[in-house]
Amino acid sequence: MTGAAGSTGRPVPALVDHTRTFWTSGGRGEFTMQRCVACERLVHPPALRCPHDHGELRYTALSGDGVVESWTVANHQFLPGFPPPYLIAFVTPVEDDRVRVLVNLVDVDPAEVSVGMPVVAVFDHRSADDDEVYVPQFTSRR
Ligand SMILES: [Zn+2]
């Protein structure tokens, strides 16, 4: 159910066949992304075919390690469940520096964020109706 308010008041992403693994693998402690069988690029957001060459995509478990590409601090509340201030960042997984994932940085002091900062995936468990999702977020790799 798109945008449904979950148990934490935060929206719960819609689960469809090609997005389900991305949103649920955190329940196993795994950060997964799709990889193209033809060009081997990681693809995000989840897609039906590779946006570069229309190759077949298969999910692969990654290390969960990444680096901050850019970030901003949200000082106004736009959605329920996200009290300001909070951090929004583009993170690049260490397995492929050609792709970026838009995420929240959690348990990080905004004054300590920098470009290239090592981060690691953690998961925000949200549920609504019958859907259990684990939204990837990142925190400082200490
Ligand atoms: Zn491809």
Side-chain angles (χ1 to χ4, degrees):
M1 179 176 294
T2 304
S7 53
T8 62
R10 294 180 172 189
V12 176
L15 298 181
V16 295
D17 287 348
H18 71 279
T19 66
R20 183 173 307 278
T21 300
F22 179 78
W23 293 119
T24 60
S25 63
R28 302 186 304 274
E30 291 181 344
F31 177 62
T32 62
M33 291 179 68
Q34 293 174 312
R35 184 183 295 282
C36 176
V37 171
C39 71
E40 300 185 346
R41 293 175 73 129
L42 291 176
V43 170
H44 188 78
L48 293 171
R49 302 296 288 192
C50 176
H52 308 287
D53 58 14
H54 302 278
E56 179 186 347
L57 299 173
R58 293 185 185 159
Y59 273 97
T60 184
L62 304 176
S63 64
D65 292 327
V67 295
V68 172
E69 189 76 25
S70 66
W71 81 97
T72 190
V73 180
N75 287 304
H76 301 282
Q77 185 156 7
F78 296 101
L79 292 170
F82 292 90
Y86 60 94
L87 288 161
I88 303 165
F90 275 117
V91 166
T92 301
V94 296
E95 288 85 356
D96 188 343
D97 64 5
R98 297 169 292 183
V99 66
R100 293 171 181 82
V101 183
L102 185 62
V103 296
N104 288 120
L105 291 181
V106 296
D107 299 325
V108 174
D109 182 338
E112 296 179 0
V113 181
S114 61
V115 171
M117 175 181 163
V119 290
V120 64
V122 293
F123 303 96
D124 182 23
H125 179 215
R126 302 179 195 176
S127 59
D129 300 326
D130 292 332
D131 292 337
E132 301 288 329
V133 303
Y134 297 82
V135 176
Q137 303 178 319
F138 283 77
T139 191
S140 178
R141 187 172 60 207
R142 297 181 177 97

